[in-house]
Amino acid sequence: MQDDPDKDLFDNAHLLPPGFRQPPRVQGPGRFYVHLPNLSLEDGVGIPFRGGELRSVPFDEWRALDREVAEKRSGIYGETRPAFFVVDDIAVTGRMHAKVSRDARVLFSILTLNGMRMDPPRTSTAYVWRQGQVARFVGVHDRRTILNGPVRVRLRKTDEGLLQGLLDAVSRLEPKGAVFDLPELSSIVQACGRGGGEEAPIDDIMRLTVALEALLVKDVTAGITAAFVDRVGQFVREPGEDASELARDLRTLYALRSDALHGRDWADSLAGTGRDEPAWSAWAHQILLRAAHRVVAQVGGAADPRLALDTLQTSLMP
């Protein structure tokens, strides 16, 4: 029999981590913390979102959540200044845990579409706290990214222009959060989140291009390169941008993707392009973000985002 999602989380044993030891029973609302990896926030920097806030968590506050680890690594925590999505004073139930986790994922997706390259929250750690009761939900990275990063993005109070841009983006995209449930958008967020100079650029190129292909090139079994160049080109081209140069670069991008995917030497595809691998990786990231923003703008407000994206993909067919 499935547990009631509105039952108190600390009474739903299957929702708690294995080996969790329950402190004395306490009633009332609690606080949820979801770590967003690879992001560091200076104290006083916050991004409100869906009743919560993305903010730094002082060491003493985190120690109350993870005392065993905190006692050993206090100095590292201060250097990393990890960022958490924190929602306070809400019911401690399985339903609310699922909602906060989803809201954190949508916020992560929005930040990723604004150029931040971060691992998804599910890979790190989340906490539920209520007057001494603590439950931890640990991803594949355990607490490593909380303590060790790597930090890819640092936000400081002096970054006023960047912070205002993020606040504007969050306000604009938050109502369209359902679009991030589409597999194509989820793949884009995953592809854009990785990278950041920590892996081979050719792998980044391949992953970004595959995500772009899945987004815009549908139901093609022959002439895939030509279809990719045509459909992506017509969708992402900016006013005044040279169509032939864009087509040439997209053709090179797809060649690099194919070289990497099939284990071929990509030196010939790079030759004479005027860009090295990191530069092509950066360009692929830029083009994928441009396409993603246009898709979100066109289908994010639809009553049925799935149908709207299918219609958009069909419209790009010859």
Side-chain angles (χ1 to χ4, degrees):
M1 181 176 178
Q2 187 176 7
D3 283 340
D4 180 357
D6 293 315
K7 185 179 179 181
D8 191 285
L9 182 64
F10 288 91
D11 286 339
N12 273 342
H14 84 281
L15 294 176
L16 299 177
F20 171 71
R21 292 178 296 180
Q22 182 175 311
R25 189 76 173 85
V26 181
Q27 299 287 344
R31 183 181 301 146
F32 288 72
Y33 298 79
V34 182
H35 177 234
L36 270 65
N38 314 119
L39 176 61
S40 176
L41 296 185
E42 187 177 68
D43 292 345
V45 174
I47 298 177
F49 188 74
R50 293 187 175 179
E53 184 180 31
L54 180 65
R55 63 171 174 86
S56 63
V57 170
F59 176 73
D60 286 344
E61 186 177 352
W62 179 64
R63 181 169 54 187
L65 303 172
D66 219 331
R67 186 174 300 276
E68 180 182 356
V69 176
E71 296 293 350
K72 302 175 183 177
R73 311 298 291 274
S74 59
I76 295 177
Y77 186 91
E79 295 173 6
T80 307
R81 291 180 180 270
F84 289 83
F85 177 56
V86 183
V87 185
D88 201 4
D89 198 28
I90 61 172
V92 179
T93 64
R95 186 184 302 278
M96 293 310 298
H97 174 247
K99 178 185 182 303
V100 171
S101 298
R102 184 181 185 280
D103 288 347
R105 179 172 59 83
V106 172
L107 177 57
F108 156 75
S109 300
I110 292 171
L111 296 178
T112 299
L113 288 195
N114 278 270
M116 295 187 178
R117 311 208 68 176
M118 309 183 299
D119 293 325
R122 60 180 168 74
T123 64
S124 189
T125 302
Y127 304 90
V128 181
W129 176 91
R130 180 176 59 192
Q131 300 183 44
Q133 290 178 306
V134 179
R136 288 182 286 272
F137 300 84
V138 181
V140 294
H141 291 162
D142 198 3
R143 286 86 146 188
R144 288 193 300 274
T145 52
I146 293 177
L147 293 165
N148 303 317
V151 174
R152 298 175 188 158
V153 182
R154 290 187 185 273
L155 294 179
R156 301 175 177 86
K157 285 184 283 189
T158 54
D159 300 327
E160 296 179 3
L162 176 58
L163 287 171
Q164 189 58 54
L166 290 174
L167 289 170
D168 292 344
V170 168
S171 176
R172 184 177 69 256
L173 296 177
E174 185 276 333
K176 301 178 179 182
V179 76
F180 297 111
D181 292 330
L182 296 174
E184 294 90 342
L185 268 296
S186 179
S187 295
I188 287 174
V189 169
Q190 182 175 345
C192 289
R194 297 178 64 177
E198 294 160 22
E199 59 187 355
I202 190 65
D203 293 333
D204 203 31
I205 292 168
M206 177 183 68
R207 193 164 37 250
L208 294 165
T209 309
V210 167
L212 183 59
E213 179 182 1
L215 179 67
L216 297 177
V217 186
K218 183 180 179 181
D219 298 331
V220 177
T221 57
I224 182 65
T225 299
F228 177 85
V229 171
D230 177 64
R231 297 184 193 183
V232 175
Q234 64 171 300
F235 190 69
V236 305
R237 182 170 170 252
E238 300 277 16
E241 187 173 12
D242 188 292
S244 61
E245 288 185 8
L246 178 61
R248 179 199 62 202
D249 288 346
L250 288 171
R251 193 171 293 108
T252 299
L253 188 64
Y254 200 80
L256 291 169
R257 163 256 187 227
S258 299
D259 290 342
L261 190 62
H262 299 297
R264 298 192 295 259
D265 184 357
W266 52 87
D268 288 344
S269 297
L270 278 176
T273 64
R275 292 190 182 106
D276 58 9
E277 289 175 49
W280 276 108
S281 171
W283 190 77
H285 185 219
Q286 172 193 339
I287 291 296
L288 181 55
L289 289 180
R290 190 190 301 178
H293 275 282
R294 293 186 178 183
V295 167
V296 171
Q298 292 188 33
V299 312
D304 185 344
R306 175 72 270 164
L307 177 61
L309 180 57
D310 288 344
T311 302
L312 171 62
Q313 291 171 328
T314 301
S315 73
L316 296 174
M317 296 179 181

